[in-house]
Amino acid sequence: MFIRPKQYWFIRISPKRAFHALQSDTVDLQVEGTGWQLLFARLRVKPQSIAISLDKLNNRNFILFSEQLFNVNRQLETSQKIISVRPDTLYFDFSERTVKRVPVKLVSNFEFVKQYGVSDDIEIIPKYVTLSGPEEEIKKIKEWPTDSLKLSNVQNTTVSRIAMMQNKMKNVSIFPTSAEVKVPVDEYTEKTIDLSLRIINNKEYYNVKLYPKKIKVTILVALSKYQQTNENFIDAVVDLDEWRDLKHNQLRVKITRFPDYCKLIDVVPDKIDFIIEK
């Protein structure tokens, strides 16, 4: 009688070689036993898995089940006896194993209570995972994403354990398989900062007068960083190319540097009058 499917897994794998089987991970087992034993075997809901040694792969690229039937039968918790496996031969594709570290990419979906948000860099521990497998597969991987971290109604700093995205490549291993994620959260409040403007692309070194010389930038900033966040953290410029090349009679204000932990609300004015003295 044939019973299917049976899954197999491997023991004593060489750490220096990357491989993957060239066929399915299930096989048919021909079982010898009494009529009652075979009946109950057919009624099993969860077929057992069997462990297969890969020692022979040190000298060849295939495994014969017929050579391991004695050890396979020792794994079963029944008096039934496996007399053959179909297919009997498992073929493998080998390549040299290589190791590479890549950064962890957090996949997230956060919903905050009003006036709350991320107040600093999100910490991921560890920041990197180690991949091991065939060089042609590993070199394609630049980062490794996590499962999606979903948080709702957030108003406090949270620490979560998140799994790495499931590895679908059988011949590539990943370590570790999870990471700790710390999301610093704080209440945000508005702050208005007076900011001096800087002129860029004044290639002819004209004497340029701006009206006004300063702007007001309104931002949302975390309460814990309210005092330390000032004009030294933000840069605002006007580009003289807009007058020279585009013939604009006003210059647009551009914010070129801005803290990641803040949110820009308003810039007043957002266009500047100017006079150029040649």
Side-chain angles (χ1 to χ4, degrees):
M1 172 184 176
F2 275 101
I3 299 178
R4 62 180 311 184
K6 287 287 183 179
Q7 289 186 312
Y8 55 85
W9 53 280
F10 305 120
I11 59 176
R12 295 195 290 275
I13 301 173
S14 172
K16 297 181 180 180
R17 305 181 75 188
F19 72 93
H20 67 276
L22 298 178
Q23 56 277 309
S24 170
D25 63 351
T26 60
V27 291
D28 294 336
L29 304 181
Q30 187 173 14
V31 180
E32 182 183 74
T34 66
W36 281 110
Q37 291 169 345
L38 297 180
L39 174 62
F40 286 118
R42 181 180 290 276
L43 294 177
R44 282 198 191 119
V45 177
K46 297 181 178 179
Q48 294 175 329
S49 297
I50 55 176
I52 301 299
S53 172
L54 299 185
D55 283 345
K56 296 292 185 179
L57 293 180
N58 290 322
N59 303 312
R60 65 194 189 193
N61 68 342
F62 62 91
I63 291 293
L64 295 176
F65 278 108
S66 56
E67 296 177 341
Q68 303 193 36
L69 284 182
F70 176 77
N71 289 329
V72 169
N73 279 305
R74 291 179 59 187
Q75 299 174 41
L76 303 181
E77 298 177 359
T78 175
S79 59
Q80 295 171 4
K81 180 181 178 182
I82 296 174
I83 59 176
S84 71
V85 180
R86 190 171 62 188
D88 182 55
T89 306
L90 297 179
Y91 293 95
F92 293 81
D93 179 26
F94 283 94
S95 59
E96 289 300 316
R97 180 176 291 271
T98 187
V99 177
K100 179 181 179 181
R101 293 176 74 239
V102 297
V104 176
K105 178 185 178 182
L106 177 64
V107 179
S108 62
N109 182 11
F110 301 152
E111 294 180 1
F112 296 94
V113 173
K114 187 177 181 180
Q115 293 294 108
Y116 285 81
V118 177
S119 60
D120 210 334
D121 293 336
I122 296 176
E123 295 182 34
I124 304 176
I125 303 174
K127 295 181 180 180
Y128 296 85
V129 293
T130 300
L131 305 176
S132 177
E135 183 177 1
E136 62 270 17
E137 294 288 344
I138 296 295
K139 68 181 181 181
K140 302 175 187 176
I141 304 173
K142 305 302 180 183
E143 59 187 12
W144 195 272
T146 67
D147 285 345
S148 181
L149 177 59
K150 297 181 179 180
L151 301 173
S152 57
N153 298 319
V154 182
Q155 58 181 335
N156 295 300
T157 295
T158 65
V159 178
S160 306
R161 172 66 59 173
I162 187 71
M164 300 297 172
M165 184 189 70
Q166 183 178 2
N167 179 14
K168 297 180 180 179
M169 296 177 288
K170 293 183 179 180
N171 53 340
V172 174
S173 61
I174 175 176
F175 181 82
T177 57
S178 65
E180 183 179 276
V181 179
K182 181 179 180 180
V183 184
V185 176
D186 200 352
E187 184 176 2
Y188 277 71
T189 187
E190 284 192 7
K191 182 173 185 176
T192 300
I193 299 174
D194 290 333
L195 204 61
S196 298
L197 290 168
R198 184 166 57 89
I199 300 171
I200 62 173
N201 290 322
N202 187 5
K203 302 169 184 175
E204 288 81 10
Y205 300 101
Y206 293 135
N207 182 15
V208 182
K209 295 183 179 180
L210 303 177
Y211 301 96
K213 296 180 180 180
K214 289 188 175 184
I215 60 172
K216 292 185 180 295
V217 177
T218 302
I219 63 174
L220 275 179
V221 59
L223 286 177
S224 59
K225 297 181 180 296
Y226 186 90
Q227 294 298 331
Q228 72 184 64
T229 305
N230 53 39
E231 65 276 7
N232 296 322
F233 289 80
I234 307 172
D235 285 340
V237 303
V238 290
D239 189 348
L240 214 57
D241 279 348
E242 292 187 7
W243 163 74
R244 180 187 301 101
D245 299 334
L246 303 177
K247 311 305 180 185
H248 289 176
N249 56 14
Q250 286 186 312
L251 302 177
R252 292 174 298 170
V253 175
K254 300 177 182 178
I255 304 297
T256 57
R257 185 168 63 98
F258 192 79
D260 293 335
Y261 54 84
C262 295
K263 300 176 183 178
L264 183 63
I265 301 299
D266 199 11
V267 176
V268 179
D270 61 350
K271 292 183 179 180
I272 301 297
D273 293 319
F274 62 98
I275 295 176
I276 297 180
E277 298 178 351
K278 298 184 180 181

